[in-house]
Amino acid sequence: MALKEFNVKNAYCKSVWEDVKVRYADQEHFLQAAGLVLETLSPVVDTMPELEKTAVLERFLEPERIIMFRVPWTDDQGKPRVNRGFRVQFNSALGPYKGGLRFSPEVNLDVLKFLGFEQVLKNSLTTLPMGGGKGGADFDPHGKSDAEVMRFCQSFITELYRHIGADTDVPAGDKGVGGREVAYMFGQYKRITNQFTGVLTGKGLDFGGSLIRTEATGYGLIYFAQCMLKAAGTDFKGKTAIISGDGNVAEYACEKINEFGGKVLTLSDSTGYILDEDGIDAEKLAFVKQFRSERKKIDTYLTKYPKAKFFKGEKPWGVKADCAFPCATQDEIFMEDAKKLVANGVKLVAEGANMPTRADAIEFLQKNDVLFAPGKAANAGGVAVSGLEMSQNSERLSWTREEVDEKLKRIMTNIHDNAYATAKKYAPSKTVDYVSGANIYGFLKVARAMAAQGLV
Ligand code: GLU
């Protein structure tokens, strides 16, 4: 995939960018994430010469530690299998490393480095005391039995346990890692260490999990979008939305949009998308949740709602709507998709997934006055409630649904307001530049902490 030419203006940012570009020429996703951040940091780095003196940017772009290991396990036929496991401990300036584990065939160091790098800024934006990290394995849980998934998770943790801990590094779920996988990993960690601690988040409610954690990313995304709409003088009432994905993020985003008076037209998975012009209401969404839990594909929707349409192998970005929420994975919206979104009247794009929009497509959307929210701000609700789960574990208390939801709402509103004000200050433009606002606000706290803690 072609890398966008980033316009990195500040001389220090530029020299670090040129160096990173050569050193990690084979890590295209990491470079895209880093390039976009360096492009937007220039106005603030201009005012902080002390950053260069303490090599803050060089350190900021280099993970503190990367752990790579083999994960041997046995399948149900008794055949030995071997996968590759990773944990990228990117930055601990603000707190223990924090971020999900992804089990998916596409996992490699490039993908995990971009996710870890984004996580550092995302976690900073939440204002909770969390550093950033990401990990996972090139293991595909689809089509595996529960027993195979359990043996894989146990083997994965048998190596990773020595590198993580409630005050060191607290993994959670991500694509391919849900409640089942977190529970298996937690069980194995407890067994090896003989300690019941908050070492993972996204745990089951019976053993230290937090209410609202499952819903948090999707709810948070829509709370954030609601703030964007409010700042633009409008709201969700009567608005149409297209959503990609059919996982937790997509489903709970759909639920919240319905609650706020909007209408969701699409959901998708790797096989294609469904379009329901009447809207995917609560009853229809319950059906999606049910067939998804049976691991059935998205076209199952038509068995109950035959008026809907299924578009095989296609993405929903050509559907006319007011708002778009990419909630599947990275690389969903390319330039040709961005053009379709603009042509179809989409006025707001907020990322539920991590980096689903390519950098050139972001630029095109912003130039065409589409309000664009990057994932590190808009999808921070998931890790924010993970942070709240860590607090509850430390206190050995659990908060009510209302308490957690209220805190989530407050955190998302703060992220919005901070990104908005920072954008106005450093990157004033007609359409609010939430990309610059989020990058700069997230970076400043990490940079100050890194500078204060010395050359480590
Ligand atoms: N994987 C989620 C994310 O991308 C959540 C991470 C966490 O809860 O630690 O932010």
Side-chain angles (χ1 to χ4, degrees):
M1 274 177 273
L3 192 65
K4 178 183 173 286
E5 270 299 321
F6 290 100
N7 183 12
V8 184
K9 291 204 187 93
N10 169 274
Y12 174 40
C13 289
K14 195 171 162 60
S15 80
V16 172
W17 173 232
E18 293 302 330
D19 188 44
V20 168
K21 240 186 344 185
V22 174
R23 179 167 310 121
Y24 298 118
D26 58 336
Q27 297 178 353
E28 198 266 337
H29 289 90
F30 173 61
L31 286 184
Q32 181 177 242
L36 189 52
V37 167
L38 287 171
E39 184 178 82
T40 51
L41 288 187
S42 286
V44 64
V45 176
D46 279 346
T47 65
M48 300 173 79
E50 66 275 20
L51 296 182
E52 189 168 1
K53 290 198 191 95
T54 49
V56 166
L57 281 179
E58 290 89 332
R59 291 187 284 137
F60 176 62
L61 284 154
E62 195 64 39
E64 288 175 21
R65 186 179 303 109
I66 297 177
I67 300 137
M68 294 196 271
F69 51 98
R70 71 167 176 246
V71 190
W73 57 284
T74 310
D75 69 19
D76 286 345
Q77 281 67 49
K79 193 174 155 223
R81 303 271 203 114
V82 181
N83 285 90
R84 280 132 297 272
F86 306 82
R87 185 74 180 164
V88 179
Q89 297 182 329
F90 219 111
N91 195 304
S92 62
L94 301 183
Y97 309 106
K98 180 82 197 85
L101 295 170
R102 177 176 288 195
F103 290 169
S104 175
E106 104 263 4
V107 162
N108 58 35
L109 196 51
D110 172 32
V111 167
L112 294 180
K113 269 185 70 182
F114 111 66
L115 288 164
F117 179 70
E118 291 283 289
Q119 198 81 44
V120 174
L121 293 166
K122 185 192 304 196
N123 295 1
S124 168
L125 281 162
T126 67
T127 71
L128 300 175
M130 300 184 289
K134 201 88 184 189
D138 59 353
F139 168 79
D140 189 357
H142 294 112
K144 305 282 191 305
S145 69
D146 279 351
E148 287 176 324
V149 171
M150 182 181 77
R151 287 195 294 275
F152 179 82
C153 289
Q154 290 180 338
S155 180
F156 184 84
I157 283 296
T158 301
E159 173 55 35
L160 192 64
Y161 89 94
R162 68 189 88 243
H163 305 289
I164 60 176
D167 294 321
T168 309
D169 183 353
V170 183
D174 194 79
K175 200 169 130 191
V177 178
R180 173 182 64 168
E181 290 76 14
V182 168
Y184 287 148
M185 289 192 272
F186 180 76
Q188 182 73 351
Y189 181 89
K190 181 165 62 65
R191 183 189 195 192
I192 296 173
T193 60
N194 197 27
Q195 280 181 357
F196 192 114
T197 65
V199 64
L200 286 140
T201 59
K203 298 184 291 297
L205 292 176
D206 295 328
F207 51 96
S210 174
L211 286 159
I212 307 275
R213 177 64 192 85
T214 316
E215 298 89 332
T217 312
Y219 280 8
L221 174 67
I222 303 309
Y223 292 150
F224 192 94
Q226 193 190 32
C227 292
M228 294 167 81
L229 291 171
K230 191 169 166 209
T234 179
D235 59 27
F236 267 109
K237 277 191 208 80
K239 295 225 168 26
T240 49
I242 45 181
I243 298 183
S244 67
D246 71 338
N248 279 337
V249 185
E251 285 174 8
Y252 289 106
C254 178
E255 185 181 311
K256 254 313 155 201
I257 292 173
N258 287 336
E259 197 184 306
F260 288 165
K263 183 157 108 173
V264 177
L265 303 177
T266 67
L267 287 173
S268 75
D269 67 10
S270 56
T271 65
Y273 79 90
I274 53 120
L275 168 65
D276 188 336
E277 301 276 7
D278 296 334
I280 302 165
D281 61 18
E283 184 203 305
K284 293 171 180 174
L285 190 60
F287 178 58
V288 175
K289 283 187 192 161
Q290 182 220 309
F291 73 72
R292 262 225 335 126
S293 70
E294 296 160 13
R295 299 179 195 276
K296 290 191 181 139
K297 295 294 175 197
I298 197 73
D299 59 347
T300 310
Y301 189 89
L302 272 66
T303 60
K304 191 158 176 198
Y305 304 105
K307 264 176 74 191
K309 294 193 191 89
F310 174 60
F311 295 86
K312 194 172 172 208
E314 284 185 45
K315 297 187 273 189
W317 312 127
V319 174
K320 202 170 160 42
D322 301 306
C323 313
F325 299 97
C327 297
T329 188
Q330 69 269 11
D331 302 331
E332 293 188 63
I333 298 180
F334 288 78
M335 186 56 115
E336 68 263 25
D337 304 307
K339 285 182 180 156
K340 284 186 201 160
L341 290 169
V342 169
N344 281 308
V346 168
K347 288 273 174 284
L348 179 150
V349 176
E351 296 184 325
N354 291 312
M355 223 166 70
T357 320
R358 301 286 302 177
D360 55 350
I362 296 176
E363 193 178 345
F364 180 83
L365 292 171
Q366 289 181 320
K367 278 197 175 135
N368 283 279
D369 293 331
V370 175
L371 281 170
F372 177 85
K376 62 172 76 77
N379 74 32
V383 76
V385 174
S386 275
L388 301 180
E389 183 172 329
M390 289 166 74
S391 302
Q392 294 170 77
N393 291 165
S394 301
E395 288 191 315
R396 300 203 192 296
L397 288 174
S398 23
W399 303 335
T400 64
R401 216 183 139 79
E402 290 70 29
E403 269 175 290
V404 180
D405 198 24
E406 197 41 52
K407 288 187 190 349
L408 170 63
K409 237 179 257 170
R410 197 163 351 120
I411 291 169
M412 296 314 295
T413 307
N414 281 340
I415 298 176
H416 173 273
D417 294 354
N418 289 331
Y420 182 94
T422 308
K424 291 273 174 204
K425 180 170 175 194
Y426 289 104
S429 60
K430 188 165 132 247
T431 310
V432 189
D433 181 357
Y434 285 103
V435 175
S436 292
N439 286 344
I440 294 173
Y441 190 84
F443 172 74
L444 279 173
K445 192 174 172 196
V446 179
R448 283 195 303 264
M450 287 179 75
Q453 289 168 24
L455 195 57
V456 290

